[in-house]
Amino acid sequence: MWTLLATGALGAVLGARHAFEPDHLAAVSTLVSDRPRPRHAAALGALWGLGHTAALLAVGLTLVATRTTLAPAAERGFELAVAAMLVVLGVRSVIQAVRDGRRGQVHAHTHGDRTHVHPGPRSHVHVWTRTIAVRPLVVGLIHGLAGSGGMAALAMAEMSTTSAAALYVLLFGVGSTVGMAAASAGAAASMTHLTVGAPAARRVRIGAGVLAVAVGLAWGALAIA
Protein backbone atom coordinates (compact mmCIF):
# COMPACT_ATOMS: atom_id res chain seq x y z
CA MET A 1 0.00 0.00 0.00
CA TRP A 2 2.66 2.50 1.06
CA THR A 3 4.78 1.49 -1.90
CA LEU A 4 1.96 2.28 -4.32
CA LEU A 5 1.32 5.64 -2.64
CA ALA A 6 5.01 6.53 -2.84
CA THR A 7 5.06 5.42 -6.48
CA GLY A 8 2.06 7.59 -7.30
CA ALA A 9 3.47 10.60 -5.49
CA LEU A 10 6.79 10.25 -7.30
CA GLY A 11 5.08 10.00 -10.65
CA ALA A 12 2.95 13.09 -10.00
CA VAL A 13 5.93 15.18 -8.87
CA LEU A 14 8.11 14.17 -11.81
CA GLY A 15 5.17 14.71 -14.16
CA ALA A 16 4.76 18.28 -12.90
CA ARG A 17 8.48 18.91 -13.46
CA HIS A 18 8.24 17.31 -16.90
CA ALA A 19 5.76 20.01 -17.96
CA PHE A 20 8.49 22.63 -17.72
CA GLU A 21 10.76 21.07 -20.34
CA PRO A 22 11.81 23.44 -23.16
CA ASP A 23 9.84 21.85 -26.00
CA HIS A 24 6.64 21.86 -23.93
CA LEU A 25 7.00 25.48 -22.87
CA ALA A 26 7.89 26.58 -26.41
CA ALA A 27 4.79 24.94 -27.85
CA VAL A 28 2.39 26.24 -25.23
CA SER A 29 3.85 29.76 -25.39
CA THR A 30 2.62 30.06 -28.98
CA LEU A 31 -0.88 29.12 -27.82
CA VAL A 32 -0.87 31.33 -24.75
CA SER A 33 0.51 34.39 -26.55
CA ASP A 34 -2.59 34.42 -28.71
CA ARG A 35 -4.82 34.96 -25.65
CA PRO A 36 -2.66 35.92 -22.65
CA ARG A 37 -5.23 35.61 -19.88
CA PRO A 38 -4.26 33.39 -16.94
CA ARG A 39 -7.58 31.57 -16.59
CA HIS A 40 -7.87 30.82 -20.29
CA ALA A 41 -4.17 29.94 -20.48
CA ALA A 42 -4.55 27.48 -17.60
CA ALA A 43 -7.38 25.80 -19.51
CA LEU A 44 -5.19 25.56 -22.62
CA GLY A 45 -2.38 24.07 -20.53
CA ALA A 46 -4.77 21.56 -18.98
CA LEU A 47 -6.00 20.56 -22.44
CA TRP A 48 -2.38 20.06 -23.49
CA GLY A 49 -1.98 17.86 -20.41
CA LEU A 50 -5.04 15.79 -21.29
CA GLY A 51 -3.68 15.09 -24.76
CA HIS A 52 -0.27 14.32 -23.29
CA THR A 53 -1.75 11.94 -20.72
CA ALA A 54 -3.91 10.20 -23.32
CA ALA A 55 -0.81 9.38 -25.39
CA LEU A 56 1.10 8.20 -22.33
CA LEU A 57 -1.74 5.92 -21.33
CA ALA A 58 -2.29 4.53 -24.84
CA VAL A 59 1.36 3.79 -25.62
CA GLY A 60 3.06 3.77 -22.23
CA LEU A 61 0.65 1.41 -20.53
CA THR A 62 0.73 -0.92 -23.54
CA LEU A 63 4.51 -1.10 -23.31
CA VAL A 64 4.35 -1.62 -19.54
CA ALA A 65 1.73 -4.36 -19.81
CA THR A 66 3.65 -6.23 -22.51
CA ARG A 67 7.05 -5.50 -20.94
CA THR A 68 8.41 -4.32 -24.29
CA THR A 69 10.23 -1.17 -25.40
CA LEU A 70 9.48 1.30 -28.15
CA ALA A 71 11.45 0.69 -31.33
CA PRO A 72 14.25 3.28 -31.82
CA ALA A 73 12.90 4.20 -35.26
CA ALA A 74 9.45 4.91 -33.82
CA GLU A 75 10.91 6.94 -30.98
CA ARG A 76 12.97 8.99 -33.42
CA GLY A 77 9.91 9.50 -35.59
CA PHE A 78 7.90 10.84 -32.64
CA GLU A 79 10.71 13.23 -31.73
CA LEU A 80 10.84 14.51 -35.31
CA ALA A 81 7.06 14.98 -35.21
CA VAL A 82 7.52 17.18 -32.13
CA ALA A 83 10.20 19.18 -33.94
CA ALA A 84 8.01 19.66 -37.01
CA MET A 85 5.04 20.66 -34.85
CA LEU A 86 7.10 23.30 -33.02
CA VAL A 87 8.25 24.80 -36.31
CA VAL A 88 4.66 24.88 -37.64
CA LEU A 89 3.34 26.48 -34.44
CA GLY A 90 6.13 29.06 -34.48
CA VAL A 91 5.67 29.97 -38.14
CA ARG A 92 1.91 30.20 -37.62
CA SER A 93 2.36 32.55 -34.66
CA VAL A 94 4.69 34.85 -36.62
CA ILE A 95 2.44 34.89 -39.70
CA GLN A 96 -0.64 35.71 -37.66
CA ALA A 97 1.15 38.49 -35.79
CA VAL A 98 2.37 40.03 -39.06
CA ARG A 99 -1.03 39.62 -40.70
CA ASP A 100 -2.85 41.30 -37.81
CA GLY A 101 -0.52 44.28 -38.12
CA ARG A 102 0.37 46.86 -35.53
CA ARG A 103 -3.26 47.57 -34.62
CA GLY A 104 -4.10 44.05 -33.49
CA GLN A 105 -6.64 41.41 -34.48
CA VAL A 106 -9.73 42.55 -36.32
CA HIS A 107 -13.07 41.13 -35.19
CA ALA A 108 -16.77 41.87 -35.01
CA HIS A 109 -17.84 43.90 -31.98
CA THR A 110 -21.42 44.57 -30.89
CA HIS A 111 -22.86 47.61 -29.13
CA GLY A 112 -26.53 46.91 -28.43
CA ASP A 113 -28.07 46.07 -31.80
CA ARG A 114 -25.18 47.52 -33.82
CA THR A 115 -22.34 45.31 -35.03
CA HIS A 116 -19.14 46.69 -36.53
CA VAL A 117 -15.62 45.46 -37.21
CA HIS A 118 -12.50 46.95 -35.67
CA PRO A 119 -9.07 45.86 -34.41
CA GLY A 120 -8.48 45.03 -30.77
CA PRO A 121 -8.59 42.16 -28.28
CA ARG A 122 -11.67 39.98 -27.96
CA SER A 123 -13.67 40.17 -24.77
CA HIS A 124 -13.72 36.42 -24.26
CA VAL A 125 -12.32 33.16 -25.55
CA HIS A 126 -14.41 30.06 -26.18
CA VAL A 127 -11.90 27.65 -24.67
CA TRP A 128 -14.20 24.68 -24.85
CA THR A 129 -15.19 25.10 -28.50
CA ARG A 130 -13.66 22.88 -31.13
CA THR A 131 -11.69 25.56 -32.92
CA ILE A 132 -9.60 26.35 -29.84
CA ALA A 133 -9.68 23.14 -27.83
CA VAL A 134 -8.46 20.79 -30.56
CA ARG A 135 -5.09 22.49 -31.06
CA PRO A 136 -3.68 22.13 -27.51
CA LEU A 137 -5.02 18.58 -27.31
CA VAL A 138 -3.19 17.60 -30.49
CA VAL A 139 -0.01 19.37 -29.37
CA GLY A 140 -0.11 17.50 -26.07
CA LEU A 141 -0.86 14.22 -27.83
CA ILE A 142 2.23 14.54 -30.02
CA HIS A 143 4.39 15.42 -27.02
CA GLY A 144 2.99 12.44 -25.14
CA LEU A 145 3.80 10.08 -28.00
CA ALA A 146 7.38 11.35 -28.05
CA GLY A 147 7.81 10.75 -24.33
CA SER A 148 5.85 7.53 -23.92
CA GLY A 149 8.69 5.16 -24.75
CA GLY A 150 11.14 6.65 -22.28
CA MET A 151 8.45 6.94 -19.62
CA ALA A 152 7.48 3.28 -19.97
CA ALA A 153 11.13 2.19 -19.88
CA LEU A 154 11.75 4.21 -16.72
CA ALA A 155 8.63 2.82 -15.06
CA MET A 156 9.58 -0.77 -15.86
CA ALA A 157 13.14 -0.27 -14.67
CA GLU A 158 12.23 1.40 -11.39
CA MET A 159 8.99 -0.40 -10.40
CA SER A 160 8.90 -4.00 -9.28
CA THR A 161 5.35 -4.79 -10.43
CA THR A 162 3.27 -3.99 -13.50
CA SER A 163 0.54 -2.37 -11.38
CA ALA A 164 3.07 -0.02 -9.76
CA ALA A 165 4.51 0.89 -13.16
CA ALA A 166 1.03 1.54 -14.56
CA LEU A 167 0.15 3.76 -11.60
CA TYR A 168 3.40 5.66 -12.07
CA VAL A 169 2.61 6.36 -15.75
CA LEU A 170 -0.97 7.42 -14.93
CA LEU A 171 -0.02 9.86 -12.17
CA PHE A 172 2.92 11.13 -14.19
CA GLY A 173 0.35 12.22 -16.74
CA VAL A 174 -1.83 13.82 -14.07
CA GLY A 175 1.17 15.67 -12.66
CA SER A 176 2.16 16.94 -16.10
CA THR A 177 -1.40 18.21 -16.65
CA VAL A 178 -1.37 20.18 -13.40
CA GLY A 179 2.16 21.41 -14.07
CA MET A 180 1.36 22.64 -17.56
CA ALA A 181 -1.81 24.38 -16.41
CA ALA A 182 0.23 26.21 -13.77
CA ALA A 183 3.04 27.01 -16.22
CA SER A 184 0.59 28.34 -18.80
CA ALA A 185 -1.20 30.50 -16.26
CA GLY A 186 2.11 31.88 -15.02
CA ALA A 187 3.29 32.62 -18.56
CA ALA A 188 0.02 34.37 -19.34
CA ALA A 189 0.23 36.46 -16.17
CA SER A 190 3.66 37.64 -17.27
CA MET A 191 2.49 38.32 -20.81
CA THR A 192 -0.37 40.51 -19.63
CA HIS A 193 2.25 42.91 -18.29
CA LEU A 194 4.18 42.81 -21.55
CA THR A 195 1.28 43.05 -23.99
CA VAL A 196 -0.16 46.44 -23.07
CA GLY A 197 -1.33 47.60 -26.47
CA ALA A 198 -1.48 45.86 -29.85
CA PRO A 199 2.15 46.59 -30.90
CA ALA A 200 3.51 44.98 -27.72
CA ALA A 201 1.19 41.99 -28.11
CA ARG A 202 2.41 41.61 -31.68
CA ARG A 203 6.06 41.60 -30.58
CA VAL A 204 5.35 38.97 -27.92
CA ARG A 205 3.61 36.71 -30.44
CA ILE A 206 6.47 37.07 -32.90
CA GLY A 207 8.97 36.34 -30.12
CA ALA A 208 7.06 33.23 -29.04
CA GLY A 209 6.93 32.07 -32.65
CA VAL A 210 10.64 32.58 -33.26
CA LEU A 211 11.45 30.75 -30.02
CA ALA A 212 9.27 27.80 -31.02
CA VAL A 213 10.93 27.57 -34.43
CA ALA A 214 14.41 27.69 -32.86
CA VAL A 215 13.55 24.99 -30.32
CA GLY A 216 11.93 22.88 -33.04
CA LEU A 217 14.99 23.04 -35.29
CA ALA A 218 17.29 22.18 -32.37
CA TRP A 219 14.99 19.32 -31.34
CA GLY A 220 14.98 17.92 -34.86
CA ALA A 221 18.77 18.14 -35.12
CA LEU A 222 19.14 16.23 -31.85
CA ALA A 223 16.68 13.57 -33.04
CA ILE A 224 18.60 12.81 -36.23
CA ALA A 225 22.08 13.20 -34.76
Side-chain angles (χ1 to χ4, degrees):
M1 178 63 180
W2 290 109
T3 300
L4 285 178
L5 288 176
T7 296
L10 178 63
V13 170
L14 292 181
R17 186 197 63 80
H18 177 70
F20 290 84
E21 293 187 358
D23 58 322
H24 301 161
L25 295 179
V28 173
S29 67
T30 64
L31 305 175
V32 172
S33 65
D34 192 36
R35 291 289 185 271
R37 297 183 181 181
R39 184 178 63 181
H40 298 148
L44 290 175
L47 287 170
W48 177 96
L50 290 176
H52 183 266
T53 302
L56 285 180
L57 293 178
V59 180
L61 290 184
T62 299
L63 295 175
V64 167
T66 57
R67 290 284 165 175
T68 57
T69 58
L70 193 65
E75 191 168 356
R76 186 179 304 109
F78 289 151
E79 293 291 348
L80 289 174
V82 168
M85 177 193 65
L86 286 171
V87 172
V88 170
L89 287 174
V91 171
R92 174 184 176 276
S93 182
V94 172
I95 289 176
Q96 286 190 332
V98 173
R99 183 197 63 193
D100 292 340
R102 297 181 62 82
R103 299 180 65 195
Q105 294 179 330
V106 176
H107 62 274
H109 185 73
T110 302
H111 290 289
D113 58 352
R114 291 186 58 192
T115 299
H116 61 280
V117 176
H118 67 83
R122 296 180 186 271
S123 60
H124 61 276
V125 179
H126 298 289
V127 175
W128 301 110
T129 60
R130 184 176 179 82
T131 54
I132 295 178
V134 164
R135 195 184 312 140
L137 280 171
V138 171
V139 171
L141 183 68
I142 294 174
H143 273 124
L145 288 173
S148 58
M151 174 50 49
L154 176 63
M156 288 186 289
E158 297 295 331
M159 307 305 160
S160 58
T161 65
T162 300
S163 59
L167 179 63
Y168 180 89
V169 172
L170 173 62
L171 292 184
F172 185 95
V174 173
S176 66
T177 300
V178 175
M180 184 52 73
S184 300
S190 298
M191 286 181 184
T192 55
H193 296 291
L194 298 174
T195 56
V196 179
R202 180 171 178 256
R203 287 193 293 270
V204 168
R205 293 177 68 191
I206 291 175
V210 171
L211 175 63
V213 171
V215 173
L217 293 176
W219 212 261
L222 289 174
I224 61 177

